[in-house]
Amino acid sequence: MKTAGNNRKTTSNRVALYGLLIALAFVLSYVETLFPVYLGAPGVKLGLANLVTVIALYGLGVKEAFAINVVRVLLSGFTFGNMSSILFGMAGAVLSLFLMAVCKKLRLFDMTGISIIGGVAHNIGQFLVAAFVTKTFGVSYLPVLLIAGTVAGALIGLLGGIILKRISRILPKG
């Protein structure tokens, strides 16, 4: 039998967990700013903060991953960037999470495959915003972005699987 005290404790635990995940994503976003990557296209990043998104998607659910992702993009944008970086980050984050959630629900791929979809979708979302803002379609960057998204997505997916196995016992049940 659940009591009001148990419900409060569960809610408090969830809020604390979400806070920790947001803080971790924020720190990973900062770490990314310390190691700029230039592969011939602007905006290529390691995608470290997306590790938290993948773990939240698999360990908590779509709504929770969405909330954590949005807060992370806003915090990172206001702290390390500007409104433009928030716009680009949000476009990539929303498209990425949407496609990862659909692929996960349809059981199309394992975690690594879904993370690759997320990495590629993130870059496509940002590319589409850049095309809209500049009113050009600089396709020359697209292959670099797709390759970077694939490699980063694969690494994040593999690492996410390892981490999720280790922390699954502390995640809330259903």
Side-chain angles (χ1 to χ4, degrees):
M1 182 167 137
K2 287 196 170 192
T3 64
N6 285 342
N7 286 338
R8 263 191 302 254
K9 182 178 177 186
T10 301
T11 301
S12 297
N13 288 346
R14 281 185 178 265
V15 168
L17 177 61
Y18 299 163
L20 286 171
L21 290 172
I22 290 167
L24 179 59
F26 184 66
V27 167
L28 291 173
S29 292
Y30 173 69
V31 169
E32 278 190 338
T33 67
L34 300 176
F35 302 103
V37 177
Y38 185 76
L39 299 174
V44 174
K45 292 185 179 179
L46 299 172
L48 296 176
N50 294 327
L51 178 62
V52 176
T53 302
V54 171
I55 290 170
L57 177 63
Y58 275 85
L60 301 173
V62 175
K63 290 185 288 189
E64 294 83 356
F66 180 79
I68 290 166
N69 216 6
V70 166
V71 172
R72 187 253 316 163
V73 170
L74 290 172
L75 282 175
S76 298
F78 285 128
T79 306
F80 311 121
N82 52 37
M83 288 306 291
S84 177
S85 61
I86 292 171
L87 176 66
F88 282 87
M90 200 63 75
V94 168
L95 181 60
S96 171
L97 186 58
F98 173 75
L99 290 178
M100 286 192 301
V102 168
C103 290
K104 180 179 179 279
K105 183 170 180 72
L106 297 175
R107 300 175 191 259
L108 295 177
F109 304 102
D110 64 357
M111 182 186 281
T112 302
I114 287 175
S115 180
I116 290 170
I117 296 291
V120 170
H122 195 279
N123 287 344
I124 289 172
Q126 291 184 331
F127 177 81
L128 292 174
V129 168
F132 177 77
V133 168
T134 63
K135 299 189 184 359
T136 61
F137 205 70
V139 180
S140 62
Y141 292 135
L142 193 56
V144 174
L145 293 174
L146 296 178
I147 292 168
T150 301
V151 171
L155 294 173
I156 294 300
L158 290 169
L159 188 56
I162 293 167
I163 292 171
L164 196 60
K165 281 181 191 170
R166 293 180 183 238
I167 67 166
S168 61
R169 65 181 176 79
I170 66 165
L171 296 175
K173 307 292 184 255

